[in-house]
Amino acid sequence: MSMNMFHEFYKPYYTRIVNTAHAHGMIYIWHNCGFILDMIPDMIEIGIDVLQLDQARLMGYEKLAEICDGKIAVWCPLDIQWATSEHVTRDDYADEVARMTAAFAPFNGGFIARHYPRPLDIGLTEEDQRTIYDAFMANGCRLKQEVS
């Protein structure tokens, strides 16, 4: 779909849906696939609160973080296409998480780590999942606990 088609046929309706959600005290989470960098400024203008992606690596973490600029939160796991490639190691997982979180760090809250909901379906073993989880935790993706 071209951006002109999006602007004409979809954007007005998404704007209405997002405004209605906000009017009822809800946040709006939009899942999207593919290379959508050109669409993100419109998503921000519409008022999307959270952009949920499963292939953020496709667009480049630095470029994605720069375009989102902390105005919209990005909620994603490691890129599911990349993470399930046979040549990727558990050490690569940790390095990738560090790259991902470093790209979003300057935006103070613009990134939310996500666990893929059906990891076994895409070939991530329990050991892979634990490695990825530990890497996110080691890179600051955890809730801060209040000390009483």
Side-chain angles (χ1 to χ4, degrees), residues 12-22 28:
Y13 296 101
Y14 273 110
T15 301
R16 208 167 113 202
I17 292 165
V18 172
N19 287 340
T20 301
H22 289 163
Y28 194 90

Side-chain angles (χ1 to χ4, degrees), residues 62-122:
E62 293 79 9
K63 189 67 176 170
L64 184 59
E66 176 187 323
I67 290 172
C68 292
D69 192 27
K71 296 173 186 152
I72 184 172
V74 177
W75 180 33
C76 60
L78 281 186
D79 186 298
I80 62 170
Q81 296 283 330
W82 173 85
T84 57
S85 301
E86 5 181 300
H87 69 278
V88 176
T89 67
R90 290 194 182 99
D91 287 340
D92 293 334
Y93 292 153
D95 292 343
E96 191 74 3
V97 166
R99 278 189 54 234
M100 179 190 285
T101 55
F104 286 93
F107 300 101
N108 193 25
F111 177 76
I112 305 166
R114 179 174 186 258
H115 180 73
Y116 191 75
R118 300 200 39 106
L120 298 176
D121 289 354
I122 62 171

Side-chain angles (χ1 to χ4, degrees), residues 18-36:
V18 172
N19 287 340
T20 301
H22 289 163
H24 287 86
M26 296 185 276
I27 63 167
Y28 194 90
I29 300 172
W30 186 338
H31 168 81
N32 214 314
C33 294
F35 192 89
I36 61 161

